[in-house]
Amino acid sequence: QDISIKARIIAATNRNLEKLVDQKLFRDDLYHRLNVITIKIPPLRERGKDIITLAEHFLSESAKKFNRENFKIDREAKEFLLNYSWPGNVRELKNAIERGVLLAEGNSLMLKDFVSIQKNRTSIRAERTDKIMMELDFAGNDLESVTKIYAQEVLAKLDNNKTKTAKLLGISRPKLDKLLKQ
């Protein structure tokens, strides 16, 4: 016997469903049933000061959870949080804060408490779609390593398309390959 119910379905994806429908990789009828209201949520790296608001929320939750009172995030750590690209999005931020609270020596999260997500003392932030910001330790990086890091970031921005990357950088494909192998 059929039972009548009222329900709403909330679905989330990081894929372009319209494109998938056009490519016949997602059912057209299902797409139209689900697509009543679309809410686009930008990735964490594009949310600016929201990162700090979320970090402080996760800090409060973690401090309560692990009985660590009066926790704060110092200025240098906040700057790092704002400049990190957060490829793991909000889950990565939450886990980083929780790990920091667990491992911090005092009652303040400092830059050193985020060492597990820092790359070789190089902080890279890919902003929007057309900017790459790099903060480098000048004593620990020579021009070749900086050039390689920059080329890798441009390559990543261009979906690993070496031809487009070489053209944008103004070098040949073989020179790009050589640069990336160094």
Side-chain angles (χ1 to χ4, degrees):
Q1 182 178 14
D2 289 344
I3 300 172
S4 218
I5 64 166
K6 288 185 179 182
R8 295 201 189 277
I9 296 175
I10 299 173
T13 184
N14 62 352
R15 309 262 172 123
N16 183 337
L17 291 182
E18 288 177 359
K19 214 182 252 186
L20 292 175
V21 167
D22 291 342
Q23 296 171 348
K24 306 280 189 233
L25 297 172
F26 193 85
R27 285 182 29 203
D28 190 29
D29 64 316
L30 180 58
Y31 171 74
H32 291 294
R33 283 179 186 250
L34 292 173
N35 192 27
V36 176
I37 296 174
T38 301
I39 301 170
K40 297 216 184 246
I41 302 173
L44 185 58
R45 69 182 159 272
E46 293 178 7
R47 293 193 215 166
K49 300 275 184 199
D50 287 352
I51 294 170
I52 300 303
T53 303
L54 285 166
E56 288 172 343
H57 170 74
F58 295 139
L59 181 70
S60 175
E61 278 186 345
S62 296
K64 283 179 191 171
K65 182 177 177 181
F66 301 115
N67 295 321
R68 301 206 58 190
E69 300 292 321
N70 302 321
F71 243 83
K72 293 190 176 25
I73 305 172
D74 83 349
R75 184 190 54 76
E76 194 176 31
K78 282 183 181 180
E79 193 170 311
F80 170 76
L81 295 176
L82 287 170
N83 290 320
Y84 183 64
S85 64
W86 299 109
N89 236 326
V90 176
R91 283 187 190 95
E92 183 182 13
L93 173 64
K94 181 179 182 181
N95 291 341
I97 297 294
E98 189 170 308
R99 182 173 40 251
V101 169
L102 278 170
L103 301 176
E105 293 171 7
N107 283 352
S108 182
L109 285 181
M110 296 187 273
L111 184 59
K112 69 181 177 79
D113 296 317
F114 297 101
V115 77
S116 64
I117 58 174
Q118 296 177 44
K119 292 183 191 176
N120 304 328
R121 299 188 309 182
T122 302
S123 173
I124 299 170
R125 179 181 184 183
E127 278 189 11
R128 310 279 183 226
T129 57
D130 60 347
K131 291 183 183 178
I132 296 172
M133 292 175 60
M134 299 169 46
E135 187 177 312
L136 303 166
D137 176 12
F138 71 89
N141 291 293
D142 59 11
L143 189 56
E144 281 184 15
S145 66
V146 172
T147 305
K148 180 180 178 179
I149 292 168
Y150 179 69
Q152 288 170 333
E153 289 301 309
V154 172
L155 181 63
K157 286 292 233 177
L158 296 175
D159 298 322
N160 292 316
N161 185 320
K162 288 184 178 180
T163 303
K164 284 182 180 179
T165 301
K167 186 176 180 179
L168 187 101
L169 295 175
I171 59 176
S172 66
R173 262 293 295 272
K175 186 167 183 167
L176 176 65
D177 289 333
K178 183 179 174 185
L179 175 66
L180 294 171
K181 286 180 184 176
Q182 290 177 345

